[in-house]
Amino acid sequence: MLIPKSHPRAASLHIREKLVQGYRSGLVVEEGLMAHGRGESFDYLIGEKTSKNALKAIKVAAKTLVLAKSPVISVNGNFAALCPKEIVNLAKIMNAKIEVNLFYISEKRKRAIANILKKNGAKEILGLDPRSSRRIPKLDSTRRVVDKNGIFSADVVLVPLEDGDRTLALKKFGKKVITFDLNPLSRTAQSADITIVDNVIRGMRILVDISEKLTKKKNLRQERFDNKKNLAEAILVMKNNLRRKAHA
Ligand code: PTJ
């Protein structure tokens, strides 16, 4: 669809269009369109911009990924449709592995996602070879099947738009979990180590930029980060925006 540049909601409509294209080309599942709608409503509440708390979480996430021994970027349908270039760039900067891992499992969709990432410059995509699959303990969803050379042996995993059960299972399995989730109330947001409450399409660009700068710095040290406190800040941003609207 042709979206006029002057349309007041052009940016949001363009993102929606990426998802629809992703659906038509077999990357995104129907449920992914609904998940995006939920994300949009929270994006509206945060003012459709990267807030201070999101930037803080992005900085800590960048440092955590740069300092990680075996970082892995977990990719699902929505993430692949929205940010293929950023996923590949981030993986190159951090020397991170990329693994396709789906909630609504489909071999065909896995291959379509791997292809789009390869078109954007990725060399190796994990999660496709059944011979290297392993199971995350204490998890029933299809997402329990991971690659032995990827998520299974990672120390830090970036898992945007994630399912709450797997976040908890990954944590119990000793992984540090970083996520993007526009809903600060979701189980994933609440249980991850670092939650970036921002639209992944905006936040990933900033994460790539900051990470690139960090890799040039020496003597980096992990800093303390209170995820619950930062999530409370995100909720306050929404509350204050609503209050302003109510009194306008
Ligand atoms: O491709 P698959 O099979 O792995 O499935 C992917 C989806 C997203 C369908 C699946 O993981 C799912 O059902 O996710 P949920 O449980 O709906 O959670 C998605 C979360 O991401 C929700 O809390 C949304 O608010 C949030 N979200 C949606 N779009 C964005 C987002 N967060 C950041 N940026 C977005 N663009």
Side-chain angles (χ1 to χ4, degrees):
M1 196 190 95
L2 189 67
I3 300 157
K5 274 194 187 139
S6 57
H7 193 290
R9 304 214 36 78
S12 172
L13 293 176
H14 276 296
I15 303 176
R16 215 179 247 191
E17 213 51 33
K18 270 184 187 272
L19 251 293
V20 171
Q21 286 305 329
Y23 171 67
R24 290 191 181 132
S25 57
L27 303 172
V28 174
V29 73
E30 283 95 338
E31 291 83 349
L33 301 175
M34 294 179 211
H36 184 73
R38 176 156 43 163
E40 274 185 347
S41 55
F42 283 100
D43 205 6
Y44 205 83
L45 292 178
I46 63 168
E48 294 173 313
K49 55 178 191 254
T50 304
S51 56
K52 262 193 207 157
N53 65 76
L55 191 58
K56 189 171 171 192
I58 290 173
K59 285 181 181 165
V60 178
K63 209 179 251 187
T64 307
L65 285 163
V66 172
L67 290 170
K69 283 199 181 80
S70 324
V72 173
I73 305 173
S74 177
V75 181
N76 66 16
N78 288 42
F79 192 29
L82 291 175
C83 322
K85 198 169 265 157
E86 289 78 10
I87 294 169
V88 177
N89 287 346
L90 188 66
K92 282 186 182 155
I93 291 167
M94 326 276 187
N95 218 355
K97 292 184 174 148
I98 302 176
E99 178 167 341
V100 181
N101 189 272
L102 304 179
F103 187 76
Y104 299 98
I105 196 88
S106 143
E107 293 307 316
K108 196 172 164 205
R109 203 153 60 87
K110 271 189 187 176
R111 282 196 299 276
I113 292 170
N115 284 341
I116 186 94
L117 295 171
K118 283 190 176 156
K119 265 192 198 149
N120 280 275
K123 295 270 177 293
E124 190 193 18
I125 309 289
L126 301 176
L128 301 166
D129 184 355
R131 285 169 302 180
S132 54
S133 63
R134 294 288 181 279
R135 277 164 193 232
I136 303 173
K138 300 190 179 93
L139 183 62
D140 291 330
S141 87
T142 51
R143 273 189 171 165
R144 69 180 179 268
V145 179
V146 293
D147 199 297
K148 76 169 190 261
N149 302 310
I151 293 172
F152 193 79
S153 48
D155 54 346
V156 177
V157 194
L158 173 65
V159 281
L161 284 69
E162 176 61 343
D163 155 70
D165 277 359
R166 193 169 77 132
T167 307
L168 283 165
L170 284 172
K171 282 201 63 174
K172 278 189 197 143
F173 197 35
K175 314 291 175 194
K176 200 164 223 184
V177 177
I178 302 172
T179 194
F180 278 93
D181 197 328
L182 277 161
N183 177 5
L185 308 170
S186 80
R187 282 186 320 136
T188 295
Q190 293 285 334
S191 50
D193 294 285
I194 304 168
T195 304
I196 303 162
V197 181
D198 198 10
N199 197 320
V200 75
I201 209 160
R202 282 192 305 268
M204 270 297 279
R205 288 177 193 151
I206 306 174
L207 181 60
V208 170
D209 280 355
I210 293 181
S211 303
E212 193 159 27
K213 286 180 190 133
L214 278 186
T215 51
K216 290 172 190 136
K217 287 200 172 160
K218 283 184 187 142
N219 301 326
L220 276 185
R221 279 222 221 121
Q222 193 62 61
E223 59 191 272
R224 287 171 73 85
F225 178 71
D226 187 339
N227 200 43
K228 284 269 157 65
K229 193 166 162 240
N230 209 50
L231 283 170
E233 298 286 336
I235 294 167
L236 279 177
V237 167
M238 295 182 188
K239 183 183 159 204
N240 291 337
N241 281 343
L242 284 171
R243 182 184 286 140
R244 260 194 299 277
K245 285 272 179 209
H247 294 292

